Amino acid sequence: MTDVQESMRHILRCESDAILNIPVSDAYDRAVELIIEHVHRRRGKLVTSGMGKAGQIAMNIATTFSSTGTPAVNLHPSEAQHGDLGVLQPDDVMLLISNSGKTYEIIALVELTHNLYPQVPLIVITGNPDSPLAAIADVTLSTGGAPEVCPLGLTPTTSTTMMTVIGDVLVVNVMRLTGFSREQYALRHHGGYLGSKSRGEDTPAGK
């Protein structure tokens, strides 16, 4: 076995264990209910945000929600300070991602949000449930804080995997509880492999 293969096995074990150790709690029930209440009942939207790698995960979560019947947008925390905060509406709900729970731009975004619409609830995904961001959240979803598999212990690796999995938990449960159907999925996917598959058509090569 090569060093790369042995490293791969180690990484797979570490990240699998980290996923299995994500704390399961009623915070997920509250988060899902907040999203359903604000988006599906009040007709607001989900607004996700994060900085750096966490921001890329936030964008992916927003696009996945949108494609499965829950309108969502991603708001870059720095651009929010230059006018993009205007995308917010009173009945929205925010999903903020910060592994440290101390990201300056995200803390600033919360302050700006509450200055504009104090009632907008905050769902936070973080590796630090005792952080400043968690303290001001309505719901905190902890990743479990597993160490990064990066040999330096610095590069977002394990943490971004946990964020993605938690996003999947939220998306799937909102889909399940709102009764999102294959037919509704097809209406949102007109092209590509997934569009054809959702309509039961012969699927072309590629996605």
Side-chain angles (χ1 to χ4, degrees):
M1 183 182 299
T2 66
D3 288 345
V4 171
Q5 291 174 23
E6 182 58 34
S7 174
M8 178 180 177
R9 292 182 184 276
H10 171 71
I11 291 167
L12 291 174
R13 284 193 300 270
C14 289
E15 296 212 347
S16 297
D17 288 344
I19 291 172
L20 292 174
N21 283 289
I22 292 173
V24 178
S25 71
D26 61 3
Y28 286 88
D29 299 85
R30 298 198 303 275
V32 168
E33 176 56 28
L34 274 176
I35 295 169
I36 292 174
E37 172 64 26
H38 283 262
V39 182
H40 292 273
R41 298 191 189 119
R42 301 190 189 185
R43 300 304 178 186
K45 62 183 175 297
L46 178 66
V47 179
T48 70
S49 191
M51 197 69 191
K53 305 297 186 297
Q56 295 172 6
I57 302 301
M59 181 178 292
N60 179 65
I61 292 173
T63 58
T64 304
F65 263 114
S66 289
S67 72
T68 54
T70 297
V73 297
N74 185 68
L75 175 61
H76 193 287
S78 294
E79 296 296 340
Q81 299 186 34
H82 297 272
D84 284 9
L85 191 69
V87 75
L88 278 177
Q89 296 171 291
D91 288 325
D92 291 347
V93 54
M94 296 194 80
L95 175 62
L96 306 176
I97 308 179
S98 169
N99 192 43
S100 69
K102 302 175 183 179
T103 306
Y104 168 78
E105 293 88 350
I106 297 297
I107 299 293
L109 176 59
V110 172
E111 182 178 352
L112 293 171
T113 296
H114 283 167
N115 285 340
L116 184 61
Y117 297 123
Q119 74 277 21
V120 170
L122 308 175
I123 302 167
V124 167
I125 299 175
T126 182
N128 184 2
D130 299 318
S131 63
L133 185 59
I136 55 179
D138 294 276
V139 178
T140 298
L141 307 176
S142 172
T143 66
E148 308 287 9
V149 293
C150 160
L152 303 176
L154 297 172
T155 308
T157 45
T158 307
S159 61
T160 50
T161 300
M162 304 306 103
M163 294 167 184
T164 301
V165 170
I166 290 172
D168 288 345
V169 171
L170 297 177
V171 168
V172 169
N173 278 283
V174 170
M175 289 176 66
R176 183 175 61 83
L177 292 173
T178 58
F180 188 75
S181 67
R182 191 183 190 97
E183 291 73 23
Q184 291 170 318
Y185 190 92
L187 290 173
R188 291 162 175 81
H189 292 78
H190 299 282
Y193 170 78
L194 293 178
S196 297
K197 185 175 182 181
S198 66
R199 291 186 293 275
E201 301 169 354
D202 290 335
T203 54
K207 186 173 180 180

